[in-house]
Amino acid sequence: MEAVAASQIFSVLASPLPPTHTIGTAALYLNLSPFSSLRPQLGYFTRSRQTGGLLSRCSTKSDIHSDNSMVPNESEFSSSSTAQTQSPTQQLQSPNTLSLAAGSSSAFRGLVFDLGPSDAWDSGDIGSPVVKRFLSDEEERWYMWYHGSSEDGEADSIGLAVSGNGVHWERGSGSVQSSADAGIVFRCGRDWWAFDTNSVRPSDVLIMSSSKVRAATAVYWLYYTGFTSEKVSLPRVASDCSSDRALLSLPGLAISQDGRHWARIEGEHHTGALFDVGAGGKWDSLFIAAPRVVFHRTGDLRMYYHSWDASTGCFSIGMARSRDGIRWIKLGKIMGGGSAGSFDEAGVMNGHVMVKKDGRYVMAYEGVAATGEKSIGVADSEDGLKDWRRCGEGPVLIPSPEELGWDNKAVCSPCLVRMDGNDEWRLYYRGIGKGGRTGIGLAISEGNQTQIFQKWTGFCI
């Protein structure tokens, strides 16, 4: 089969593609040379002060993306319609009453994004927040990809919410139609043989570009977890953590021009996944979940993911490396369960890794206690490869101690965002409360310390 030039690939991606579109592996990595200089590329989103719509031209000054990479602005975004011109079913919706109560009552402390209305696609469950901040000359824009499902038990889909400050979010009521919409952006696969036919959950979003290939806009790379209907046998403490943990899952990749219309990329595995579980006896032989990727430098991308290690009886985090972001080589397990009686005795999962200003790597992760309770801890490493050291003697974020707290059962799925210039970190997370009700919360660091976080209670004026 002949290799397809990278310029042809990007010309295909230049037009919005339906969420179910798939690009074969041959089109992306039989000819790897154009991708040898892949690096993060910051896109800037600005809003017109007169119309409120997205401007067609990006900022002309450099800034720092949330993954800590300093990059120049090299792209322009196509003009898009304003929210006011969308169809009634696609207009952005403001946060509901419960979300607005965040900060006004201790029971809602930290809550910034609640379930959708009763008839919405995300009325039954939400979680897996992947939050990115973009800066422009005039203001900042925030994007949050998250999974959601309706009250009637439909399969998880991935949605997009937008914000001007990372606290007050606007959501969509249905599937996106234009590059100005919020709402559903990615659904389960339809091919019977695919690895993502039962559920999809976002894990990470990188903004990539190639210095050798000039695309019309930056290209978003979505790494996600796809679930099939195949059951995985797990012990009680593991299966109680989430019903989806009892389903086989594998890592997937999709690419987009606007963060809304995605094209699946078929990986090397026969199901379209990027790679398979480990062979029998390996620590990751049951499933692969939460693939989160760090761009270390040109030709060196690092993926952190978790599985259930049957040999130790706990969740563990491992990693893989890639030169192009598509073909991966596993390096093995890097972090397992904590000491007896600790908050993460039964394991660690959903690790989100960032690079600090001093070059050290920091990981916010979900710790599972022997009882199944989930809280959030932090670890760090000199090089992001080995010698991960837990920070502090306990978790940095715990479930609400209040009986009516919206997140009094579990806090999990952490996502870190560094606030450039403020020496401050934000920690977005999934909270679970009474009856399994879910929401997305926010905690703020004390200065630049990643060992101390307080749940958001409002802006200081």
Side-chain angles (χ1 to χ4, degrees), residues 361-394:
Y361 285 71
V362 60
M363 177 197 295
Y365 66 90
E366 182 180 323
V368 184
T371 59
E373 181 178 281
K374 295 191 284 187
S375 50
I376 294 174
V378 170
D380 67 2
S381 167
E382 288 285 350
D383 58 8
L385 296 173
K386 58 185 184 303
D387 298 329
W388 283 91
R389 179 183 62 87
R390 288 170 167 83
C391 300
E393 299 180 355

mmCIF file of all heavy atoms in Angstrom, residues 361-394:
data_model
loop_
_atom_site.group_PDB
_atom_site.id
_atom_site.type_symbol
_atom_site.label_atom_id
_atom_site.label_comp_id
_atom_site.label_asym_id
_atom_site.label_seq_id
_atom_site.Cartn_x
_atom_site.Cartn_y
_atom_site.Cartn_z
ATOM 1 N N TYR A 361 8.194 16.416 37.040
ATOM 2 C CA TYR A 361 6.872 15.929 36.634
ATOM 3 C C TYR A 361 5.986 15.767 37.865
ATOM 4 O O TYR A 361 6.437 15.276 38.907
ATOM 5 C CB TYR A 361 6.997 14.587 35.912
ATOM 6 C CG TYR A 361 7.519 14.693 34.509
ATOM 7 C CD1 TYR A 361 8.852 15.025 34.250
ATOM 8 C CD2 TYR A 361 6.685 14.472 33.409
ATOM 9 C CE1 TYR A 361 9.337 15.124 32.957
ATOM 10 C CE2 TYR A 361 7.160 14.569 32.109
ATOM 11 C CZ TYR A 361 8.486 14.894 31.891
ATOM 12 O OH TYR A 361 8.957 15.001 30.612
ATOM 13 N N VAL A 362 4.736 16.188 37.743
ATOM 14 C CA VAL A 362 3.781 16.027 38.830
ATOM 15 C C VAL A 362 2.595 15.229 38.302
ATOM 16 O O VAL A 362 2.169 15.406 37.156
ATOM 17 C CB VAL A 362 3.322 17.394 39.386
ATOM 18 C CG1 VAL A 362 2.659 18.230 38.308
ATOM 19 C CG2 VAL A 362 2.369 17.208 40.561
ATOM 20 N N MET A 363 2.086 14.320 39.110
ATOM 21 C CA MET A 363 0.945 13.487 38.739
ATOM 22 C C MET A 363 -0.151 13.595 39.793
ATOM 23 O O MET A 363 0.071 13.340 40.972
ATOM 24 C CB MET A 363 1.353 12.011 38.620
ATOM 25 C CG MET A 363 0.170 11.074 38.304
ATOM 26 S SD MET A 363 0.521 9.316 38.625
ATOM 27 C CE MET A 363 1.804 8.989 37.438
ATOM 28 N N ALA A 364 -1.332 14.017 39.366
ATOM 29 C CA ALA A 364 -2.524 13.914 40.211
ATOM 30 C C ALA A 364 -3.193 12.595 39.853
ATOM 31 O O ALA A 364 -3.374 12.288 38.674
ATOM 32 C CB ALA A 364 -3.466 15.083 39.964
ATOM 33 N N TYR A 365 -3.521 11.798 40.840
ATOM 34 C CA TYR A 365 -4.072 10.481 40.556
ATOM 35 C C TYR A 365 -5.215 10.148 41.510
ATOM 36 O O TYR A 365 -5.381 10.767 42.560
ATOM 37 C CB TYR A 365 -2.986 9.408 40.651
ATOM 38 C CG TYR A 365 -2.413 9.212 42.051
ATOM 39 C CD1 TYR A 365 -2.976 8.288 42.935
ATOM 40 C CD2 TYR A 365 -1.310 9.948 42.484
ATOM 41 C CE1 TYR A 365 -2.459 8.114 44.215
ATOM 42 C CE2 TYR A 365 -0.782 9.783 43.748
ATOM 43 C CZ TYR A 365 -1.370 8.861 44.620
ATOM 44 O OH TYR A 365 -0.865 8.691 45.888
ATOM 45 N N GLU A 366 -5.968 9.182 41.114
ATOM 46 C CA GLU A 366 -7.096 8.676 41.899
ATOM 47 C C GLU A 366 -6.625 7.505 42.741
ATOM 48 O O GLU A 366 -6.130 6.515 42.201
ATOM 49 C CB GLU A 366 -8.199 8.255 40.931
ATOM 50 C CG GLU A 366 -9.476 7.738 41.526
ATOM 51 C CD GLU A 366 -10.470 7.371 40.439
ATOM 52 O OE1 GLU A 366 -10.518 8.080 39.406
ATOM 53 O OE2 GLU A 366 -11.179 6.363 40.609
ATOM 54 N N GLY A 367 -6.732 7.655 44.051
ATOM 55 C CA GLY A 367 -6.329 6.584 44.950
ATOM 56 C C GLY A 367 -7.533 5.794 45.431
ATOM 57 O O GLY A 367 -8.574 6.373 45.752
ATOM 58 N N VAL A 368 -7.400 4.477 45.463
ATOM 59 C CA VAL A 368 -8.490 3.597 45.881
ATOM 60 C C VAL A 368 -8.111 2.927 47.193
ATOM 61 O O VAL A 368 -7.078 2.245 47.274
ATOM 62 C CB VAL A 368 -8.792 2.531 44.807
ATOM 63 C CG1 VAL A 368 -10.001 1.694 45.221
ATOM 64 C CG2 VAL A 368 -9.014 3.181 43.455
ATOM 65 N N ALA A 369 -8.917 3.127 48.211
ATOM 66 C CA ALA A 369 -8.670 2.520 49.516
ATOM 67 C C ALA A 369 -9.131 1.069 49.512
ATOM 68 O O ALA A 369 -9.840 0.621 48.605
ATOM 69 C CB ALA A 369 -9.389 3.306 50.609
ATOM 70 N N ALA A 370 -8.757 0.334 50.536
ATOM 71 C CA ALA A 370 -9.163 -1.076 50.643
ATOM 72 C C ALA A 370 -10.676 -1.212 50.721
ATOM 73 O O ALA A 370 -11.243 -2.239 50.334
ATOM 74 C CB ALA A 370 -8.497 -1.704 51.860
ATOM 75 N N THR A 371 -11.354 -0.164 51.202
ATOM 76 C CA THR A 371 -12.816 -0.174 51.294
ATOM 77 C C THR A 371 -13.489 0.197 49.979
ATOM 78 O O THR A 371 -14.713 0.112 49.859
ATOM 79 C CB THR A 371 -13.271 0.819 52.368
ATOM 80 O OG1 THR A 371 -12.793 2.134 52.009
ATOM 81 C CG2 THR A 371 -12.713 0.433 53.735
ATOM 82 N N GLY A 372 -12.702 0.642 48.996
ATOM 83 C CA GLY A 372 -13.251 1.096 47.723
ATOM 84 C C GLY A 372 -13.430 2.597 47.641
ATOM 85 O O GLY A 372 -13.733 3.128 46.564
ATOM 86 N N GLU A 373 -13.244 3.324 48.760
ATOM 87 C CA GLU A 373 -13.377 4.783 48.734
ATOM 88 C C GLU A 373 -12.296 5.390 47.863
ATOM 89 O O GLU A 373 -11.146 4.949 47.879
ATOM 90 C CB GLU A 373 -13.279 5.352 50.148
ATOM 91 C CG GLU A 373 -13.442 6.859 50.198
ATOM 92 C CD GLU A 373 -13.387 7.420 51.598
ATOM 93 O OE1 GLU A 373 -14.416 7.325 52.306
ATOM 94 O OE2 GLU A 373 -12.319 7.941 51.989
ATOM 95 N N LYS A 374 -12.672 6.450 47.112
ATOM 96 C CA LYS A 374 -11.730 7.068 46.181
ATOM 97 C C LYS A 374 -11.481 8.520 46.553
ATOM 98 O O LYS A 374 -12.411 9.283 46.836
ATOM 99 C CB LYS A 374 -12.263 6.965 44.756
ATOM 100 C CG LYS A 374 -12.357 5.524 44.260
ATOM 101 C CD LYS A 374 -12.628 5.450 42.777
ATOM 102 C CE LYS A 374 -14.061 5.764 42.445
ATOM 103 N NZ LYS A 374 -14.358 5.534 41.020
ATOM 104 N N SER A 375 -10.210 8.880 46.563
ATOM 105 C CA SER A 375 -9.797 10.258 46.804
ATOM 106 C C SER A 375 -8.648 10.563 45.854
ATOM 107 O O SER A 375 -8.244 9.714 45.060
ATOM 108 C CB SER A 375 -9.402 10.456 48.269
ATOM 109 O OG SER A 375 -8.498 9.458 48.683
ATOM 110 N N ILE A 376 -8.103 11.765 45.925
ATOM 111 C CA ILE A 376 -7.087 12.198 44.961
ATOM 112 C C ILE A 376 -5.766 12.477 45.662
ATOM 113 O O ILE A 376 -5.727 13.182 46.674
ATOM 114 C CB ILE A 376 -7.564 13.442 44.194
ATOM 115 C CG1 ILE A 376 -8.767 13.078 43.330
ATOM 116 C CG2 ILE A 376 -6.440 14.001 43.318
ATOM 117 C CD1 ILE A 376 -9.422 14.249 42.637
ATOM 118 N N GLY A 377 -4.696 11.900 45.116
ATOM 119 C CA GLY A 377 -3.367 12.104 45.646
ATOM 120 C C GLY A 377 -2.455 12.718 44.598
ATOM 121 O O GLY A 377 -2.829 12.868 43.426
ATOM 122 N N VAL A 378 -1.239 13.063 45.026
ATOM 123 C CA VAL A 378 -0.252 13.671 44.135
ATOM 124 C C VAL A 378 1.087 12.967 44.310
ATOM 125 O O VAL A 378 1.476 12.616 45.428
ATOM 126 C CB VAL A 378 -0.095 15.185 44.414
ATOM 127 C CG1 VAL A 378 1.097 15.759 43.672
ATOM 128 C CG2 VAL A 378 -1.359 15.932 44.022
ATOM 129 N N ALA A 379 1.777 12.753 43.198
ATOM 130 C CA ALA A 379 3.131 12.190 43.216
ATOM 131 C C ALA A 379 3.994 13.005 42.264
ATOM 132 O O ALA A 379 3.473 13.722 41.399
ATOM 133 C CB ALA A 379 3.110 10.727 42.803
ATOM 134 N N ASP A 380 5.317 12.916 42.419
ATOM 135 C CA ASP A 380 6.193 13.609 41.495
ATOM 136 C C ASP A 380 7.400 12.766 41.138
ATOM 137 O O ASP A 380 7.688 11.753 41.781
ATOM 138 C CB ASP A 380 6.604 14.985 42.020
ATOM 139 C CG ASP A 380 7.501 14.908 43.252
ATOM 140 O OD1 ASP A 380 7.845 13.790 43.690
ATOM 141 O OD2 ASP A 380 7.873 15.969 43.774
ATOM 142 N N SER A 381 8.105 13.178 40.074
ATOM 143 C CA SER A 381 9.245 12.440 39.566
ATOM 144 C C SER A 381 10.198 13.410 38.881
ATOM 145 O O SER A 381 9.777 14.433 38.325
ATOM 146 C CB SER A 381 8.779 11.370 38.572
ATOM 147 O OG SER A 381 9.850 10.825 37.828
ATOM 148 N N GLU A 382 11.476 13.086 38.907
ATOM 149 C CA GLU A 382 12.473 13.934 38.254
ATOM 150 C C GLU A 382 12.334 13.915 36.738
ATOM 151 O O GLU A 382 12.444 14.943 36.076
ATOM 152 C CB GLU A 382 13.886 13.470 38.637
ATOM 153 C CG GLU A 382 14.285 13.783 40.068
ATOM 154 C CD GLU A 382 14.615 15.257 40.267
ATOM 155 O OE1 GLU A 382 14.717 15.991 39.257
ATOM 156 O OE2 GLU A 382 14.769 15.674 41.422
ATOM 157 N N ASP A 383 12.100 12.715 36.170
ATOM 158 C CA ASP A 383 12.085 12.590 34.706
ATOM 159 C C ASP A 383 10.772 12.069 34.138
ATOM 160 O O ASP A 383 10.638 11.941 32.920
ATOM 161 C CB ASP A 383 13.221 11.679 34.254
ATOM 162 C CG ASP A 383 13.149 10.284 34.865
ATOM 163 O OD1 ASP A 383 12.134 9.968 35.521
ATOM 164 O OD2 ASP A 383 14.114 9.516 34.690
ATOM 165 N N GLY A 384 9.799 11.772 34.988
ATOM 166 C CA GLY A 384 8.516 11.275 34.507
ATOM 167 C C GLY A 384 8.520 9.822 34.112
ATOM 168 O O GLY A 384 7.490 9.281 33.696
ATOM 169 N N LEU A 385 9.655 9.150 34.251
ATOM 170 C CA LEU A 385 9.781 7.751 33.848
ATOM 171 C C LEU A 385 9.792 6.805 35.037
ATOM 172 O O LEU A 385 9.132 5.774 35.023
ATOM 173 C CB LEU A 385 11.068 7.563 33.023
ATOM 174 C CG LEU A 385 11.145 8.304 31.695
ATOM 175 C CD1 LEU A 385 12.541 8.151 31.081
ATOM 176 C CD2 LEU A 385 10.093 7.796 30.728
ATOM 177 N N LYS A 386 10.534 7.158 36.056
ATOM 178 C CA LYS A 386 10.711 6.235 37.185
ATOM 179 C C LYS A 386 10.768 7.028 38.490
ATOM 180 O O LYS A 386 10.707 8.252 38.505
ATOM 181 C CB LYS A 386 11.999 5.429 37.009
ATOM 182 C CG LYS A 386 13.256 6.288 36.881
ATOM 183 C CD LYS A 386 14.480 5.459 36.597
ATOM 184 C CE LYS A 386 15.759 6.272 36.548
ATOM 185 N NZ LYS A 386 15.720 7.346 35.562
ATOM 186 N N ASP A 387 10.892 6.298 39.570
ATOM 187 C CA ASP A 387 11.039 6.892 40.895
ATOM 188 C C ASP A 387 9.940 7.896 41.206
ATOM 189 O O ASP A 387 10.184 9.016 41.663
ATOM 190 C CB ASP A 387 12.411 7.571 41.033
ATOM 191 C CG ASP A 387 13.556 6.584 40.879
ATOM 192 O OD1 ASP A 387 13.373 5.420 41.243
ATOM 193 O OD2 ASP A 387 14.623 6.983 40.374
ATOM 194 N N TRP A 388 8.700 7.489 40.957
ATOM 195 C CA TRP A 388 7.574 8.334 41.338
ATOM 196 C C TRP A 388 7.419 8.311 42.854
ATOM 197 O O TRP A 388 7.329 7.259 43.460
ATOM 198 C CB TRP A 388 6.302 7.879 40.644
ATOM 199 C CG TRP A 388 6.247 8.292 39.206
ATOM 200 C CD1 TRP A 388 6.678 7.593 38.125
ATOM 201 C CD2 TRP A 388 5.774 9.548 38.698
ATOM 202 N NE1 TRP A 388 6.492 8.307 36.974
ATOM 203 C CE2 TRP A 388 5.925 9.515 37.291
ATOM 204 C CE3 TRP A 388 5.211 10.682 39.286
ATOM 205 C CZ2 TRP A 388 5.553 10.577 36.471
ATOM 206 C CZ3 TRP A 388 4.839 11.748 38.476
ATOM 207 C CH2 TRP A 388 5.006 11.690 37.082
ATOM 208 N N ARG A 389 7.373 9.491 43.451
ATOM 209 C CA ARG A 389 7.331 9.632 44.897
ATOM 210 C C ARG A 389 6.015 10.286 45.310
ATOM 211 O O ARG A 389 5.656 11.358 44.819
ATOM 212 C CB ARG A 389 8.504 10.494 45.377
ATOM 213 C CG ARG A 389 8.557 10.749 46.872
ATOM 214 C CD ARG A 389 9.713 11.673 47.197
ATOM 215 N NE ARG A 389 9.543 12.975 46.542
ATOM 216 C CZ ARG A 389 8.860 14.003 47.067
ATOM 217 N NH1 ARG A 389 8.270 13.863 48.245
ATOM 218 N NH2 ARG A 389 8.762 15.146 46.417
ATOM 219 N N ARG A 390 5.305 9.636 46.216
ATOM 220 C CA ARG A 390 4.067 10.213 46.721
ATOM 221 C C ARG A 390 4.371 11.467 47.534
ATOM 222 O O ARG A 390 5.308 11.487 48.325
ATOM 223 C CB ARG A 390 3.316 9.197 47.577
ATOM 224 C CG ARG A 390 2.676 8.074 46.762
ATOM 225 C CD ARG A 390 2.163 6.965 47.653
ATOM 226 N NE ARG A 390 1.300 6.038 46.937
ATOM 227 C CZ ARG A 390 1.738 5.029 46.191
ATOM 228 N NH1 ARG A 390 3.048 4.826 46.045
ATOM 229 N NH2 ARG A 390 0.881 4.232 45.585
ATOM 230 N N CYS A 391 3.577 12.510 47.316
ATOM 231 C CA CYS A 391 3.775 13.780 48.025
ATOM 232 C C CYS A 391 2.857 13.837 49.243
ATOM 233 O O CYS A 391 1.628 13.739 49.104
ATOM 234 C CB CYS A 391 3.483 14.948 47.099
ATOM 235 S SG CYS A 391 4.531 15.001 45.629
ATOM 236 N N GLY A 392 3.435 13.998 50.401
ATOM 237 C CA GLY A 392 2.628 14.046 51.611
ATOM 238 C C GLY A 392 2.275 12.666 52.121
ATOM 239 O O GLY A 392 2.601 11.645 51.521
ATOM 240 N N GLU A 393 1.574 12.665 53.219
ATOM 241 C CA GLU A 393 1.216 11.400 53.862
ATOM 242 C C GLU A 393 -0.197 10.947 53.554
ATOM 243 O O GLU A 393 -0.626 9.897 54.018
ATOM 244 C CB GLU A 393 1.396 11.542 55.377
ATOM 245 C CG GLU A 393 2.834 11.850 55.802
ATOM 246 C CD GLU A 393 2.970 11.976 57.301
ATOM 247 O OE1 GLU A 393 1.933 11.911 58.002
ATOM 248 O OE2 GLU A 393 4.111 12.138 57.768
ATOM 249 N N GLY A 394 -0.925 11.737 52.817
ATOM 250 C CA GLY A 394 -2.304 11.375 52.506
ATOM 251 C C GLY A 394 -2.782 12.043 51.242
ATOM 252 O O GLY A 394 -1.994 12.625 50.487
#
